[in-house]
């Protein structure tokens, strides 16, 4: 019998909880399907720098609402992989970094061509990862004590699954100046002369530079 305006707080809480539960169910379904081998990758040749720029840029407003700046610095980095999954990978890492950043902090997304590998590094200026927590960061449902609210405990597990399926590796380290840095390394792709797009992965990439803020 109460007017809607008098129930705004309750409705906001319900909306936030529904969003959280929807994300949790989506993550659980993805992991369940991946365990059964039902998730196929749609592989194509792409510039990972472009994928990362687009994915990180989509966090501009959410980061701004938290008082965090997202800086994207991509170089051209050719790989073969699933664009949708790699975009999801970057979004998971950026979302995690933004959640752990203090107001006024900065999240940096770098994409670099290192020769036979392509590297993505997402770093923040938060409290970093405790040494005791390092072995568990990519475990399913694991959340560090005092972790920011809103997470499902599955994002980084999904990120690792995506990296594993692309034949890469992912790790985390604390930065000397403070904060955590997640680094992903994936096999680079260098098409040979006359190679058709979408061919088999090769062992080297190229290089370009661009600096932008989301």
């Amino acid at each position: 019998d109460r007017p809607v305006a008098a129930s705004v707080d309750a409705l906001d809480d319900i909306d936030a909880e529904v969003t959280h539960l929807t994300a949790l169910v989506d993550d659980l379904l993805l992991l369940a399907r991946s365990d059964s081998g039902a998730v196929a990758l749609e592989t194509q040749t792409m510039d990972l720098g472009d994928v990362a720029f687009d994915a990180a840029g989509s966090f501009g407003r959410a980061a701004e609402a938290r008082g965090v700046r997202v800086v994207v610095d991509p170089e051209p980095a050719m790989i073969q992989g699933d664009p949708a999954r790699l975009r999801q990978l970057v979004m998971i890492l950026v979302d995690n970094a933004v959640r752990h950043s203090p107001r006024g902090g900065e999240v940096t997304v770098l994409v670099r061509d290192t020769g036979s590998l392509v590297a993505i590094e997402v770093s923040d200026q938060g409290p970093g990862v405790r040494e005791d927590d390092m072995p568990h960061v990519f475990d399913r449902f694991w959340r560090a004590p005092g972790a920011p609210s809103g997470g499902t405990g599955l994002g980084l597990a999904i990120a690792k699954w995506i990296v594993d399926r692309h034949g890469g590796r992912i790790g985390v380290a604390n930065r000397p100046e403070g904060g955590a840095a997640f680094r992903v390394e994936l096999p680079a792709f260098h098409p040979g002369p006359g190679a058709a797009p979408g061919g088999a992965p090769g062992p080297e990439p190229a290089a370009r530079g661009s600096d932008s803020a989301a």
Side-chain angles (χ1 to χ4, degrees):
D1 296 331
R2 300 171 63 194
V4 172
S7 306
V8 170
D9 289 344
L11 292 173
D12 285 344
D13 289 343
I14 292 170
D15 179 65
E17 191 60 25
V18 168
T19 300
H20 176 74
L21 288 174
T22 300
L24 178 60
V25 170
D26 287 345
D27 288 348
L28 286 170
L29 286 173
L30 174 59
L31 288 173
R33 292 175 62 221
S34 70
D35 287 344
S36 66
V39 181
L41 298 183
E42 298 183 8
T43 302
Q44 65 185 64
T45 304
M46 76 196 82
D47 183 343
L48 190 59
D50 289 343
V51 173
F53 186 86
D54 177 64
S58 69
F59 270 89
R61 287 193 176 183
E64 184 179 343
R66 289 174 172 263
V68 178
R69 184 167 180 256
V70 179
V71 177
V72 190
D73 181 8
E75 289 183 354
M78 301 305 296
I79 67 167
Q80 286 197 320
D82 186 319
R85 293 301 175 199
L86 291 171
R87 186 177 192 276
Q88 182 182 17
L89 166 67
V90 176
M91 292 180 71
I92 288 171
L93 295 179
V94 173
D95 179 51
N96 181 72
V98 169
R99 287 179 185 275
H100 286 84
S101 293
R103 182 165 291 275
E106 185 173 280
V107 169
T108 303
V109 183
L110 303 177
V111 179
R112 295 290 182 264
D113 171 356
T114 67
S116 62
L117 296 172
V118 166
I120 308 172
E121 186 168 291
V122 179
S123 58
D124 61 58
Q125 297 175 334
V129 181
R130 298 188 313 170
E131 289 300 322
D132 290 347
D133 297 338
M134 286 282 185
H136 307 291
V137 166
F138 300 104
D139 292 350
R140 297 182 184 185
F141 296 109
W142 186 86
R143 305 192 73 221
S149 61
T152 64
L154 292 172
L156 292 176
I158 292 174
K160 187 177 187 305
W161 170 77
I162 294 171
V163 173
D164 288 346
R165 285 296 305 272
H166 284 81
R169 57 190 178 189
I170 183 171
V172 60
N174 288 320
R175 304 163 66 225
E177 60 271 41
F182 284 81
R183 182 179 176 86
V184 174
E185 294 180 342
L186 301 170
F189 175 70
H190 249 306
E204 303 129 58
R208 165 199 82 190
S210 168
D211 192 349
S212 179

